[in-house]
Amino acid sequence: MKTLTRYIRNVILKTFFSILFAFVVISVAMKFLGQMKYLGHGNYALYQVFQYVIFTQPRDIYIIFPFTLLLSISIVMLKLKLRNELVAVAACGIGIFDIIYIVFTSTLQIILICMLLGEVIAPYATNFAKNLKMTEMSGGNLAAMKGQLWLHEGDSYNNITTVQDDHTIKDITRYFVNSNGIFRIEHSEYGVYKDDHWDLHNIKWTDLNLKDTNKSGFIKSKDWRSILDPVLLQNYDTKPSRQTLWSLFYTFFNASSIADNYDYLIFWQRLTLPVICLLMSFCVVVIFFNFEANISNNFKMMQAVSIVLVFYFLKESLSSSLLNIGIYPLIIASFPLLLGFLLFLLLLKRYLRGNLIKRYSKRNE
């Protein structure tokens, strides 16, 4: 049993990392080509492109690892089936639950490694890459510090407290400076990017002079032509996908940073991801270990791959649709988990009925 466990575990790990390496090579090439269009923006050069591509890979690996894991287990089980090794294993008295346990221990190792990479390393690496790209593309005039943006432009230093999306910013404070110091302060409630400039709204301004007398006023709206544009803002956000699971866990239960249902949905989806991966792996094992079913190996491979495709459909497209009609995020995130569990029980029941019960009946004839 130990020899078999070691053998299957090594094959799964080798297959997984081989497929993952191929996907990473493709991802690096595609991302590098995608970044070439930004060359020449400010100080963004080839060296910065390489940095950006490398530091964003942990997040890309974390995104594709469920599909890679399921594909690896499917290929391993298919190889064992074609070589009649599964039949030999079954003849030695090793059953479906033993194989599930072996796959569970192997899969758990991969999941823990990928969780460490995706939940601990990836958020910091991605933020570093995005902020570096944003700073270099602005020529060193734009920087992110403590959740805020600072932009130096001409005679003004601009502080942006909140970036709602690529075209909307809030709480903008502009400090106008000359050789004598700050001579004017403007605070805008929000700004909207439109026609190559920002429309700042609800502006309170104060003029400062050397006589210590202030002049203040209010402006309904004002144009602000700036190097800050949606292309730069794409590299700055506070999306849950760029935060660690621990920070999401803390903010979720303190209700301080997570603001809408989409953020709650991302939190629960990332929390349930390991269990869903395990359930999908078990389903693949049962599909290939079912010898009595008169199904071709190609069809079994299609069944195994379709499991992960259904998972991604539920996670991406269907989840957003259900969220829009008002279903609670925890229920949406639990739906793929429940479906995976029911699918595993259904496949296992079919296997037990088609194998163990038939064998028991034949033995008593």
Side-chain angles (χ1 to χ4, degrees), residues 169-228:
I169 54 179
K170 294 183 178 180
D171 293 330
I172 308 103
T173 305
R174 306 182 66 197
Y175 303 91
F176 295 88
V177 181
N178 58 18
S179 58
N180 297 319
I182 300 176
F183 67 90
R184 182 181 176 89
I185 301 175
E186 294 182 357
H187 181 268
S188 307
E189 184 176 332
Y190 68 95
V192 179
Y193 193 81
K194 183 180 180 182
D195 298 330
D196 299 328
H197 70 274
W198 291 96
D199 286 336
L200 302 181
H201 296 269
N202 301 336
I203 306 164
K204 297 179 181 179
W205 59 269
T206 301
D207 280 341
L208 309 173
N209 57 35
L210 297 177
K211 298 180 180 180
D212 295 327
T213 59
N214 299 337
K215 295 181 180 180
S216 302
F218 178 82
I219 303 174
K220 185 63 177 177
S221 63
K222 178 182 179 180
D223 292 348
W224 177 30
R225 299 195 175 275
S226 169
I227 64 170
L228 186 66

Side-chain angles (χ1 to χ4, degrees), residues 267-293:
F267 169 76
W268 288 116
Q269 283 181 337
R270 287 170 62 179
L271 200 62
T272 57
L273 180 62
V275 182
I276 294 175
C277 289
L278 288 172
L279 287 173
M280 290 192 298
S281 301
F282 298 160
C283 291
V284 171
V285 172
V286 178
I287 288 173
F288 281 97
F289 205 74
N290 191 355
F291 306 118
E292 299 293 336

Side-chain angles (χ1 to χ4, degrees), residues 247-305:
S247 64
L248 287 177
F249 182 84
Y250 177 80
T251 52
F252 177 81
F253 286 101
N254 285 273
S256 58
S257 298
I258 297 183
D260 55 45
N261 285 334
Y262 178 75
D263 297 339
Y264 285 101
L265 176 62
I266 295 297
F267 169 76
W268 288 116
Q269 283 181 337
R270 287 170 62 179
L271 200 62
T272 57
L273 180 62
V275 182
I276 294 175
C277 289
L278 288 172
L279 287 173
M280 290 192 298
S281 301
F282 298 160
C283 291
V284 171
V285 172
V286 178
I287 288 173
F288 281 97
F289 205 74
N290 191 355
F291 306 118
E292 299 293 336
N294 189 19
I295 300 175
S296 66
N297 292 326
N298 291 334
F299 187 75
K300 289 184 177 182
M301 191 68 181
M302 290 177 58
Q303 284 182 318
V305 174

Side-chain angles (χ1 to χ4, degrees), residues 261-262 265 317-328 332:
N261 285 334
Y262 178 75
L265 176 62
S317 302
L318 188 59
S319 295
S320 301
S321 301
L322 294 176
L323 191 65
N324 291 333
I325 63 177
I327 298 181
Y328 190 67
I332 299 175

Side-chain angles (χ1 to χ4, degrees), residues 12-27:
I12 291 176
L13 291 175
K14 289 179 181 178
T15 305
F16 172 79
F17 286 109
S18 298
I19 297 175
L20 183 63
F21 177 76
F23 282 148
V24 168
V25 171
I26 297 173
S27 175

